[in-house]
Amino acid sequence: MESCGGSEQKLCEFVQKAIDDYKGTELYRTAVLADEYVRRRNRTILNFRKLLFTMTGKTIDDIFSANFKLPNGIFGRLINQEKNFLLGNGVTWKDKKSAEQRLGRDFDARLADIGHEALSGAVGFGFYNKDHVESWSAREFKPLFDEKDSRLRAGIRFWQISDDKPLRAVLYRETGYTDFIKPVNGKIRIETAERPYKTKIRGADIDTQKQIIGEDYGGMLPIVPMWGNKLHQSELIGLRQQIDCYDLIKSGYANNVDEGSIIYWTLENAGYMDDPDLVKFVEKIKTIHAAATQGNAKSHTLEAPYESREAILKTLKNDIYEDFGAVDVKQIAGGAITATQIIAAYEPLNEKADDFEELVLDFMHGIMKLAGIENEKPTFTRSMITNANETVQTLVTGGNYLHPEYITGKIMTLLGDGDKAEEYIKKMYADELTCFAGGDDE
């Protein structure tokens, strides 16, 4: 990790330079780009320009023909599918109440947010703030890793609402955090000197003077990174070109449909016309839909190929899902699909989630250490489509070998009432005891 310097001026210069340098790194630029694709602001298709060549050979924007730009939302769906597949049902704890007290009641939601940022932008960050966890992205947090062991030892969070608003930044170190502000036309400066992460008040009665004591997290930085894959790169890497190709073909076909057909002209007895004259003729046809010529002009139409475009779009979509390891639910939505077929369709996503789960657990262990949670082994229940009838039949068939509570819980989960299973089981046992007591009275 780079030295921050001793004086306030050096510290301010360090923070400003660190932010500026970070915005030029591949990690930051890719995280910003991936977020655009998640938001259906696919950069390649939105920046696509249709050009025309003038008579002098100059290129200009084609403002006469259709130029639809149709970004698709495949990348966002893929990210959500993998995130929800592993984290959609939250974390299972042995002592859920104690975990919520230390991590916050909304920890499952924050964990899902961090997981989303990890898959999209390569890495997400969890900030343990006393009794809850906050989620940050690589677009707003500059990590400072130790050069010796690659551990995260410090970091800078920065944000600016708009260009006419000041830049704000917070430097997080193991001992505490420092606030910085940079006015629109000024230099960055320290707004609040370093403060401890936790404070305790001692002595608040008549005989003793109140003391505010600052504490850290035992020399640990309360920020834990979660990587989206073992390659430490965004899931957009390797998929962007296929997504762009899909956008370009779909948009191009829409342009052809809007124009009605592909039109070209043949001019008879026009051997005197050179290329600039022909360009001028086409420009007049496009702008005023008429042109004077000494020869006969005939228009011809060529229908845009439909089957070939549909085939390549379907192939591209299948390739994107396959390369990502995702499940195209349309492939298992129709007909009587067996549980075996469903499991087979989910196997690539299962394998991908196995690797992701290891990284999520690494993150969890770091957060649990900060929160002082011990003797816990958090687990996840993966969310997938099932053949409910076949699964219920299997559970009922195995009734002689499985505990009734397990069967009841599984069936209620399939029916969408898994959160009420424990309450229902207690009521079921209470009803049995009531019946048994009534039998004794008789």
Side-chain angles (χ1 to χ4, degrees):
M1 185 181 68
E2 297 179 64
S3 174
C4 294
S7 69
E8 290 186 359
Q9 181 180 356
K10 287 184 178 180
L11 187 59
C12 291
E13 292 173 354
F14 167 80
V15 170
Q16 182 65 69
K17 186 176 186 303
I19 294 174
D20 293 340
D21 290 346
Y22 180 59
K23 289 183 177 180
T25 63
E26 183 179 358
L27 175 62
Y28 176 82
R29 290 186 287 105
T30 302
V32 171
L33 178 65
D35 184 64
E36 292 177 356
Y37 276 73
V38 167
R39 297 172 182 272
R40 299 188 182 186
R41 298 173 182 171
N42 304 2
R43 185 178 296 180
T44 301
I45 188 63
L46 293 181
N47 292 338
F48 179 76
R49 297 170 58 196
K50 294 182 70 175
L51 303 175
L52 288 175
F53 290 93
T54 64
M55 290 183 291
T56 60
K58 183 180 179 181
T59 58
I60 60 173
D61 288 320
D62 182 359
I63 62 174
F64 309 110
S65 60
N67 187 17
F68 291 113
K69 299 178 179 182
L70 308 177
N72 69 77
I74 291 179
F75 184 65
R77 291 200 304 272
L78 296 178
I79 295 297
N80 284 331
Q81 184 180 110
E82 183 173 355
K83 175 199 70 177
N84 292 330
F85 180 68
L86 180 63
L87 306 175
N89 291 320
V91 186
T92 301
W93 305 91
K94 289 190 298 182
D95 189 348
K96 183 178 180 181
K97 184 176 180 180
S98 176
E100 288 183 347
Q101 289 176 345
R102 293 175 179 270
L103 299 176
R105 296 179 62 87
D106 64 345
F107 176 71
D108 287 341
R110 299 292 75 76
L111 181 65
D113 291 341
I114 298 168
H116 184 280
E117 295 297 342
L119 293 170
S120 172
V123 63
F125 300 92
F127 169 47
Y128 182 67
N129 192 358
K130 299 179 182 178
D131 59 357
H132 66 282
V133 175
E134 300 176 15
S135 61
W136 298 341
S137 72
R139 303 184 307 279
E140 60 183 326
F141 184 75
K142 153 69 176 175
L144 295 168
F145 295 102
D146 194 303
E147 295 177 354
K148 294 180 180 179
D149 55 16
S150 72
R151 287 189 301 126
L152 183 63
R153 298 293 301 276
I156 303 169
R157 188 178 180 224
F158 58 93
W159 66 95
Q160 187 174 13
I161 298 176
S162 61
D163 292 338
D164 60 344
K165 300 296 181 181
L167 169 72
R168 294 186 175 272
V170 183
L171 171 63
Y172 295 89
R173 292 183 282 190
E174 295 165 345
T175 53
Y177 62 100
T178 307
D179 295 311
F180 296 81
I181 184 171
K182 180 185 179 184
V184 176
N185 296 317
K187 293 183 178 181
I188 191 169
R189 67 175 187 270
I190 294 177
E191 186 176 36
T192 307
E194 185 176 79
R195 290 174 288 173
Y197 292 107
K198 299 183 291 182
T199 56
K200 284 186 177 182
I201 299 177
R202 290 183 181 176
D205 54 28
I206 298 175
D207 299 327
T208 59
Q209 185 178 2
K210 182 172 69 173
Q211 293 181 331
I212 300 177
I213 302 175
E215 294 183 350
D216 57 24
Y217 290 94
M220 296 183 295
L221 183 72
I223 302 171
V224 183
M226 179 196 295
W227 296 98
N229 53 59
K230 295 181 179 179
L231 297 175
H232 290 191
Q233 65 182 24
S234 167
E235 292 292 340
L236 184 64
I237 303 299
L239 285 182
R240 180 187 176 184
Q241 291 80 358
Q242 297 183 67
I243 294 173
D244 291 343
C245 185
Y246 188 98
D247 288 341
L248 290 168
I249 292 175
K250 186 176 180 179
S251 301
Y253 183 66
N255 292 333
N256 293 151
V257 172
D258 180 79
E259 294 172 0
S261 59
I262 299 175
I263 302 176
Y264 66 94
W265 295 82
T266 57
L267 304 177
E268 297 179 358
N269 301 320
Y272 59 89
M273 297 178 67
D274 55 16
D275 288 346
D277 294 327
L278 293 175
V279 171
K280 187 175 181 180
F281 169 80
V282 174
E283 285 181 350
K284 283 190 174 182
I285 291 295
K286 285 187 175 182
T287 54
I288 62 177
H289 303 287
T293 177
Q294 296 181 4
N296 294 325
K298 294 182 179 180
S299 64
H300 304 270
T301 61
L302 180 64
E303 295 297 331
Y306 172 81
E307 293 82 1
S308 60
R309 297 189 188 224
E310 283 293 311
I312 188 61
L313 287 176
K314 183 177 180 180
T315 300
L316 280 171
K317 185 177 180 181
N318 290 338
D319 288 347
I320 291 171
Y321 272 84
E322 183 177 350
D323 289 347
F324 189 88
V327 178
D328 188 354
V329 294
K330 290 184 179 180
Q331 303 296 330
I332 57 177
I337 305 298
T338 66
T340 302
Q341 291 174 306
I342 294 175
I343 291 173
Y346 271 91
E347 188 55 28
L349 185 58
N350 252 318
E351 294 176 354
K352 199 166 188 289
D354 287 340
D355 289 339
F356 185 38
E357 185 173 352
E358 291 182 20
L359 300 169
V360 174
L361 289 174
D362 287 343
F363 168 83
M364 291 287 295
H365 293 151
I367 290 293
M368 289 164 58
K369 188 174 181 180
L370 289 166
I373 298 176
E374 301 177 352
N375 301 322
E376 276 278 8
K377 291 184 178 180
T379 58
F380 304 94
T381 301
R382 299 185 182 184
S383 177
M384 59 185 293
I385 298 172
T386 60
N387 185 323
N389 291 333
E390 186 175 345
T391 304
V392 169
Q393 291 175 4
T394 302
L395 290 170
V396 172
T397 303
N400 294 331
Y401 308 97
L402 301 173
H403 196 279
E405 291 185 12
Y406 175 82
I407 296 175
T408 303
K410 282 290 186 181
I411 292 177
M412 292 194 69
T413 299
L414 289 171
L415 296 176
D417 292 326
D419 56 336
K420 300 178 182 178
E422 185 176 351
E423 178 184 348
Y424 181 82
I425 291 171
K426 290 180 179 179
K427 185 178 182 301
M428 182 176 64
Y429 281 134
D431 292 342
E432 290 180 1
L433 290 173
T434 302
C435 294
F436 182 74
D440 287 344
D441 291 341
E442 293 178 0

